[in-house]
Amino acid sequence: MVAALDRKLLRNLWHMRGQVLAIALVLAAAAATFVLSTGVHSSLTATRAAYYDRNGFADVFAGMTRAPRSVVARVAAIPGAQRAQGSIIQYATLDMPGRKDPVRALLNSIREDGRDSINRVTLREGRLPEEGKPGEVIVDEAFASANDMALGDRVEALIYGVQQELTVVGIGLAPNYIYALAPGELIPDNRRFGVFWMGQKALEAATDRTDAINTLSVVLQRGASEPDVIRQIDTILAPYGGTGAYGRKDHLSHAFLDNELMQLEAMTKVIPPVFLLVAVFLVYIVLGRMIRIERTQIGLLKAFGYSDVAVGWHYLKFALVVAAIGCLLGLAAGVWMGRAMTGLYAEYYRFPFLAYRISSEAFLGAVALSLGTAALGAIGGMYRAVRLNPAVAMAPPPPPIYRAGFVSKIGHAGGFSAVGNMIVRHIARWPGRSALTVLGVALSAGLLFSTMQFMDSSRTMIDSFFLRGQAQDLTVTFVEPRNEDVIYALRQIPGVQRVEPTRGLAVRLVNGVRSKRTAVESTMAGSQLVSHIDASGKKLELPPGGLMLSRQLADELDLKAGDVVRVELLGGRQTRTGLRVASIVDEFIGSRAYANERTLELLARDASPVGSALLKVDPADRQAIIARLKDMPLLLGISERDASVRLFESMIEDNLFTMLFFYITFASVIAVGVVYNSARILFAERAHELATLRVLGYYHSEVAIVLAGELALLIVAAILPGCLIGYSLAQLMTEMFSSDLFRLPFAPSRASYGWSIVIVLAAAIGTVLLVVRRVTRLDMVAVLKARD
Amino acid sequence: MPIDGGIAFRCAGLRKTYRSGETEVHALRSVDLSVRQGESLVLLGPSGSGKSTMLNIIGGLDRPTEGTLHYQDIELTGLSDHDLTRFRRRHIGFIFQFYNLIPSLTAEENVNLVTDIAEAPMPAIEALDLVGLADRRHHYPAQLSGGEQQRVAVARAIAKQPAVLLCDEPTGALDSATGVRVLQTLDRANRELGTTLLIITHNAGIAAMADRVLHFLDGQISQEVVNQTRIRPDELTW
């Protein structure tokens, strides 16, 4: 048996279904984004943790030129180290049948007996390489599927200057290559770069490292001090050309995933609150209006003996039911979007399993947020309902009182028509509600703008990093630093127009307690292929002495131009030098340091060997040049700038377009929700006046202007605050989304402002038209019979 | 008597049936009526007798279920919604029991609502002067008494110099002295401007100011009385 008051509640909900749905959709958007981001976050975190645990992902990593395998036992014996594993990693160039583009593999050694305890490979298919069968390899799953490789396939590889045939015996993946990048790249290119695992003995033989290793991984004991262990590893590895041990936070794959998790967390903090704020406003104005209309009924209920609490609870329940509807819709949409987004992640991050799962915290959080928001919005209305004196309530409410004021003076001065005056005075009579409408539409435009700004941001990044910063067509990296001869050799290849050497040194930069592992890179003086572009678009020259730091790195180390930073060379002579920070460049990608060739020579205390070379080539000879390069011994890899740009652009399209689609929908939901509710309330309040105008002989279109005019003014008034909110929100979001790896430029384009305004206006105007159509259905007789 | 003899309204077999839930309400059952131009009529009758429905149909606010209605030579029953609006705009002035003023507009601006769209209106201030409210033209409805508000409504109705004034209980919410003032204004419009005047009232005392009195009962005209002499509103008693 449903109580009479509950039956009234159900009828109210049904009667106001349009408004109820509009609020529920805004709440749904909040719940959806919350569930989406927290769900994807927890799915990724849980999956990563399980994967790391199951496959023994290391805590500390170290590289060296070459060390005897016996060093592993010494490292394992360091207090705090639980176990250590030494292996060989080696880049190889692959000659894929029918392919002209450069394809690279990173060969990792794996124990043939399967007794690796760290960074273990999960086999999807096949088996481990067998001892005594040198060409057998396991290929990583993403590379295999991108290149249609199957068990038994063979591929020619140039390893350490020697051509060798490899046979695929297994397909698998490992936790240290969740995000697998070729050197110098930012986005995984599964077609052109793959991780391979080769039997330990076979790789030792292929790289002339019998019983030797060039990389080390360590799992720490619980509670061990990572910096202490790193310090001791560095000491042990110093004689072997150790390039400095580092923890997970500097591990590329781990750091990229961390970056992604951080962005998801930022999204949770910024986006749902915008929706929740709008939902509070909507509940507040809709319930406020409902209580004004039901004034007499409230009086009657109280006169019949319903308590204040019962009446208050009745209206709170209305808000809670709306919240429950919104929450359910939001949960469903959030799970659906979460699945789509997880699918996208699976394309870039290689997990053995990755399923979107909504945690109970995310679920309960969404429910609590929706209900809490609705309750917050309902407080004002409830308070009024509770406070209403039954005797006063049963008398009709006093009509709205208008008095001559500022707005009417404007109307006189502007020569407004009577209808024009009706519009502006109504806005001024309900300033709070008008302001909430403006704010709601502005938030919608702002949210959309802040999302669209990401497109601009990414384009600026591509433009600055690839198009303006790099003029080379190809980058050639060598297995080991070479002397100048290699530059001359490259220049001799027909079609090569320009060759510039570059060099990088692995260093640790230290400023007080802050330190950062990075590379100091140098290009030749007067380089025509590399430019350092400032945030303002200005080209910066390398300083004559000292370092140029990227803004990211300078901020991380708390350095400014003129400060001195300690530079510890990792590997080589392991020098420690103080260098002045000569300038800071506002770059967007990576924490990087630059110096001229002379400064690098001083640091390394050697003449300037070449680590890689940048090539500008004649497009007509491009393929022939790549073919020649692939045959050069001791070549680590060739990367093509255009391919990197394409990859970057396709990632932006994949991710941002999906995101944009969601956010255009969300922003429209806010605009529609706010405008629809305002319009319905306005219509209800002015029905009497509109009917009067119809009686006086005003046509439908003329009457509609009263309604549409007020809403149009409010919507137009929202454009400027919308841009301001968007500007601040976008700035906040680029700030929050920036990490060690990327710093998103804040570079909004006029088109983004334009599009966000156009989309929000379209949603708002569509909604206004929907409500204004009701004017044609106004029953003049019925309205005029009732006294307001 | 300023009746020029032409026919303003002519209706035949007018019926209006409302559906209220599962029951049918016969608001009008076959009404035949002619109203001459410049004539003044009072419609009397108990609640639900059909007089308001009759007035609404004549004024183009509602449509009959059956029958024909002509205004001069225009057949109103066949007009579209848009044309009915134009008809009201050109020819009809309405006055209601509850004034129906726009609270956000001053007295003068409420009159402007009509003068803005009428073809040959008198100036708003002149209309307000006719009802004795010229000095209160900048006041908002909330700053006016009930009687003053109704006089603004009258000024609004007569400002466009309509051919027809339709008044539904114009004095229903007023005390007798104020009511008389309003009726005087209506009477003046009828006598001096030749406006056809139809007044609905519960108050039989008002009937004496009209040329003709129609008694409504159960959706029909039960009785029609022609007054041989019209009494001025200030001589009315109720």
Side-chain angles (χ1 to χ4, degrees):
Chain A
M1 176 72 185
V2 183
L5 220 48
D6 286 337
R7 206 167 296 149
K8 169 181 172 304
L9 176 72
L10 290 175
R11 287 194 188 136
N12 278 353
L13 285 164
W14 178 246
H15 180 66
M16 297 172 70
R17 57 193 176 275
Q19 285 167 273
V20 165
L21 187 67
I23 304 174
L25 283 178
V26 174
L27 276 167
T33 42
F34 180 79
V35 165
L36 167 72
S37 44
T38 53
V40 172
H41 189 281
S42 64
S43 299
L44 277 177
T45 314
T47 305
R48 182 174 76 167
Y51 188 26
Y52 279 2
D53 191 49
R54 196 192 298 174
N55 291 48
F57 182 58
D59 295 307
V60 174
F61 310 83
M64 69 227 76
T65 316
R66 179 195 183 99
R69 192 165 282 282
S70 58
V71 87
V72 177
R74 286 173 63 198
V75 169
I78 293 172
Q82 191 199 69
R83 57 185 196 271
Q85 179 176 300
S87 46
I88 299 169
I89 56 168
Q90 177 66 47
Y91 283 97
T93 306
L94 301 182
D95 196 10
M96 304 288 285
R99 291 268 293 278
K100 292 205 171 102
D101 55 338
V103 180
R104 273 182 288 178
L106 178 59
L107 301 176
N108 288 252
S109 65
I110 185 172
R111 283 177 63 160
E112 295 87 343
D113 58 6
R115 296 180 66 182
D116 280 319
S117 64
I118 297 178
N119 302 335
R120 274 193 302 271
V121 174
T122 294
L123 265 180
R124 289 288 210 203
E125 283 181 65
R127 57 169 174 82
L128 295 174
E130 282 175 12
E131 209 174 325
K133 294 188 178 167
E136 291 190 345
V137 289
I138 299 171
V139 175
D140 86 66
E141 193 178 27
F143 181 81
S145 72
N147 290 290
D148 284 329
M149 289 179 98
L151 296 183
D153 283 0
R154 287 163 202 279
V155 59
E156 284 292 324
L158 187 66
I159 308 169
Y160 213 58
V162 177
Q163 200 77 19
Q164 192 174 350
E165 191 185 57
L166 303 178
T167 308
V168 181
V169 298
I171 290 173
L173 65 176
N176 47 336
Y177 295 108
I178 292 175
Y179 195 76
L181 286 181
E185 299 290 350
L186 294 167
I187 295 159
D189 184 348
N190 295 332
R191 259 179 76 73
R192 295 155 150 258
F193 175 73
V195 179
F196 285 27
W197 290 269
M198 199 177 192
Q200 184 177 301
K201 293 278 181 247
L203 197 54
E204 279 182 3
T207 60
D208 196 16
R209 284 191 176 93
T210 310
D211 268 333
I213 57 165
N214 66 357
T215 182
L216 234 160
S217 312
V218 181
V219 171
L220 299 180
Q221 285 169 357
R222 198 177 290 272
S225 154
E226 186 182 291
D228 285 351
V229 174
I230 286 175
R231 216 169 295 127
Q232 296 195 55
I233 293 175
D234 284 347
T235 313
I236 294 173
L237 294 181
Y240 306 111
T243 51
Y246 54 93
R248 282 184 178 181
K249 85 173 172 52
D250 289 320
H251 186 272
L252 206 59
S253 165
H254 182 87
F256 265 89
L257 200 49
D258 259 357
N259 183 54
E260 200 65 55
L261 290 170
M262 184 211 73
Q263 293 190 355
L264 282 169
E265 215 174 312
M267 187 175 137
T268 317
K269 282 183 189 149
V270 178
I271 313 275
V274 173
F275 291 106
L276 293 174
L277 191 64
V278 173
V280 171
F281 298 158
L282 288 183
V283 174
Y284 174 78
I285 59 171
V286 169
L287 208 66
R289 164 75 191 162
M290 191 169 141
I291 284 164
R292 269 201 304 284
I293 291 176
E294 298 196 342
R295 201 182 138 90
T296 325
Q297 295 180 34
I298 295 169
L300 210 61
L301 288 173
K302 289 189 176 181
F304 285 162
Y306 281 91
S307 69
D308 286 348
V309 174
V311 170
W313 172 231
H314 172 68
Y315 288 102
L316 178 63
K317 258 200 288 194
F318 177 86
L320 293 181
V321 172
V322 177
I325 297 170
C327 189
L328 281 177
L329 289 173
L331 285 174
V335 169
W336 176 70
M337 292 191 301
R339 291 215 173 110
M341 199 151 156
T342 312
L344 264 178
Y345 278 117
E347 281 181 30
Y348 294 94
Y349 297 95
R350 304 163 183 186
F351 286 104
F353 50 89
L354 177 60
Y356 175 79
R357 226 179 291 148
I358 174 171
S359 64
S360 51
E361 287 90 355
F363 177 82
L364 292 175
V367 172
L369 280 177
S370 308
L371 296 182
T373 300
L376 192 65
I379 285 175
M382 273 166 58
Y383 180 73
R384 257 174 286 145
V386 167
R387 287 287 303 267
L388 210 54
N389 176 315
V392 177
M394 282 194 289
I401 294 171
Y402 287 85
R403 286 180 202 289
F406 176 67
V407 174
S408 52
K409 281 184 195 139
I410 293 179
H412 285 303
F416 288 2
S417 68
V419 167
N421 277 318
M422 281 174 77
I423 292 172
V424 293
R425 288 179 198 168
H426 195 262
I427 292 177
R429 179 66 185 76
W430 307 102
R433 200 169 63 212
S434 305
L436 288 184
T437 306
V438 171
L439 191 63
V441 176
L443 277 170
S444 148
L447 184 70
L448 189 55
F449 171 75
S450 63
T451 320
M452 296 192 100
Q453 195 274 147
F454 277 104
M455 302 288 276
D456 302 333
S457 184
S458 310
R459 286 211 186 93
T460 309
M461 200 148 85
I462 292 182
D463 183 63
S464 148
F465 185 73
F466 290 111
L467 304 182
R468 300 195 51 206
Q470 306 181 3
Q472 81 276 19
D473 297 308
L474 303 172
T475 305
V476 176
T477 31
F478 307 107
V479 176
E480 316 179 314
R482 310 291 301 274
N483 61 26
E484 288 278 321
D485 293 350
V486 76
I487 300 299
Y488 298 117
L490 289 170
R491 280 193 188 131
Q492 299 311 311
I493 301 174
V496 171
Q497 294 168 333
R498 188 175 173 81
V499 181
E500 287 187 9
T502 66
R503 185 183 188 189
L505 287 178
V507 295
R508 179 181 288 123
L509 299 181
V510 185
N511 179 36
V513 292
R514 297 169 188 239
S515 74
K516 176 80 184 169
R517 265 175 62 91
T518 182
V520 181
E521 298 166 40
S522 85
T523 44
M524 63 185 281
S527 168
Q528 291 178 16
L529 300 182
V530 177
S531 316
H532 298 287
I533 310 292
D534 201 350
S536 59
K538 210 169 66 199
K539 193 175 158 179
L540 289 183
E541 293 299 332
L542 278 181
L547 294 175
M548 176 159 81
L549 302 184
S550 69
R551 169 78 54 206
Q552 183 77 31
L553 185 56
D555 288 350
E556 260 177 88
L557 292 172
D558 194 22
L559 287 167
K560 54 188 185 304
D563 291 349
V564 173
V565 58
R566 195 169 83 208
V567 184
E568 300 178 5
L569 194 63
L570 302 169
R573 294 177 191 273
Q574 312 235 335
T575 58
R576 292 177 177 205
T577 322
L579 280 180
R580 189 167 295 282
V581 177
S583 56
I584 287 166
V585 57
D586 282 299
E587 283 186 334
F588 307 121
I589 293 175
S591 300
R592 299 148 77 103
Y594 307 95
N596 65 12
E597 288 170 303
R598 177 80 193 119
T599 310
L600 243 66
E601 280 172 25
L602 283 172
L603 270 175
R605 299 199 184 142
D606 59 13
S608 166
V610 179
S612 57
L614 309 175
L615 273 63
K616 179 97 188 142
V617 303
D618 184 341
D621 296 323
R622 187 187 183 102
Q623 293 311 326
I625 293 169
I626 290 174
R628 280 280 295 271
L629 290 172
K630 279 164 78 177
D631 289 337
M632 278 179 78
L634 300 182
L635 206 72
L636 187 71
I638 309 161
S639 58
E640 293 181 274
R641 190 197 66 158
D642 292 354
S644 305
V645 174
R646 274 198 302 277
L647 213 59
F648 209 97
E649 282 176 340
S650 92
M651 184 196 72
I652 289 170
E653 271 171 32
D654 276 5
N655 289 348
L656 280 182
F657 283 152
T658 311
M659 199 162 114
L660 213 58
F661 168 75
F662 288 150
Y663 281 97
I664 287 178
T665 314
F666 285 152
S668 306
V669 162
I670 295 189
V672 170
V674 169
V675 174
Y676 184 76
N677 274 303
S678 303
R680 286 303 302 269
I681 288 175
L682 194 59
F683 183 77
E685 273 179 3
R686 305 204 94 165
H688 196 93
E689 293 177 23
L690 301 180
T692 303
L693 292 182
R694 290 279 296 127
V695 169
L696 293 180
Y698 279 73
Y699 295 117
H700 285 135
S701 53
E702 292 167 328
V703 173
I705 286 173
V706 178
L707 209 58
E710 177 167 343
L711 292 165
L713 272 182
L714 295 178
I715 292 165
V716 168
I719 291 177
L720 184 65
C723 291
L724 292 176
I725 289 174
Y727 187 89
S728 320
L729 208 57
Q731 230 172 8
L732 177 73
M733 278 164 79
T734 47
E735 193 77 20
M736 290 180 80
F737 274 43
S738 292
S739 66
D740 289 7
L741 303 169
F742 292 92
R743 200 167 60 83
L744 289 178
F746 178 63
S749 71
R750 280 194 210 137
S752 294
Y753 284 113
W755 277 114
S756 9
I757 291 166
V758 166
I759 291 170
V760 169
L761 283 186
I765 290 168
T767 314
V768 170
L769 293 179
L770 193 76
V771 177
V772 160
R773 270 191 339 169
R774 289 177 170 261
V775 168
T776 59
R777 302 204 295 265
L778 258 183
D779 184 344
M780 290 175 278
V781 177
V783 170
L784 294 177
K785 263 187 197 161
R787 181 176 180 169
D788 203 357
Chain B
M1 193 175 295
I3 302 173
D4 65 9
I7 296 296
F9 291 100
R10 192 175 73 247
C11 66
L14 218 55
R15 285 174 190 276
K16 179 72 186 178
T17 313
Y18 293 108
R19 193 156 260 296
S20 168
E22 291 183 359
T23 56
E24 278 197 343
V25 179
H26 298 279
L28 289 178
R29 303 164 193 259
S30 193
V31 174
D32 302 312
L33 178 68
S34 284
V35 180
R36 278 164 297 151
Q37 286 175 17
E39 195 178 7
S40 95
L41 261 73
V42 162
L43 283 65
L44 284 174
S47 293
S49 59
K51 51 193 193 307
S52 286
T53 306
M54 185 69 199
L55 202 75
N56 289 339
I57 290 174
I58 285 178
L61 295 179
D62 206 351
R63 292 166 190 279
T65 317
E66 253 179 63
T68 55
L69 169 65
H70 285 81
Y71 171 72
Q72 296 175 347
D73 50 1
I74 310 167
E75 190 186 344
L76 297 182
T77 28
L79 292 186
S80 68
D81 203 45
H82 189 268
D83 289 337
L84 270 183
T85 306
R86 188 163 54 202
F87 160 70
R88 288 200 299 275
R89 189 173 186 140
R90 284 190 178 165
H91 306 291
I92 308 290
F94 279 103
I95 296 160
F96 297 96
Q97 182 179 3
F98 295 121
Y99 333 134
N100 290 318
L101 297 181
I102 306 292
S104 58
L105 298 180
T106 61
E108 186 178 11
E109 289 161 347
N110 262 288
V111 180
N112 281 337
L113 272 179
V114 162
T115 59
D116 280 352
I117 58 167
E119 281 168 358
M122 63 173 85
I125 185 69
E126 201 176 299
L128 284 170
D129 201 27
L130 278 175
V131 297
L133 284 176
D135 56 335
R136 312 213 64 180
R137 63 190 171 139
H138 293 314
H139 286 66
Y140 285 88
Q143 297 166 315
L144 299 171
S145 70
E148 287 170 328
Q149 288 187 51
Q150 187 60 303
R151 278 149 64 200
V152 174
V154 172
R156 187 173 68 182
I158 61 176
K160 71 167 147 187
Q161 315 208 50
V164 184
L165 266 176
L166 303 177
C167 317
D168 196 345
E169 299 273 7
T171 57
L174 305 176
D175 62 71
S176 64
T178 319
V180 166
R181 254 196 113 155
V182 168
L183 292 176
Q184 277 176 328
T185 316
L186 298 177
D187 191 56
R188 232 172 111 187
N190 173 250
R191 286 174 193 271
E192 294 173 15
L193 306 171
T195 311
T196 309
L197 183 64
L198 277 81
I199 301 175
I200 287 180
T201 181
H202 275 103
N203 189 338
I206 293 175
M209 68 176 272
D211 293 317
R212 210 157 28 126
V213 182
L214 304 175
H215 290 265
F216 274 75
L217 192 66
D218 289 338
Q220 287 174 311
I221 298 173
S222 59
Q223 194 190 352
E224 190 180 322
V225 177
V226 177
N227 288 330
Q228 294 310 316
T229 49
R230 284 171 65 178
I231 293 176
R232 291 187 162 288
D234 52 2
E235 295 164 20
L236 295 173
T237 47
W238 70 78

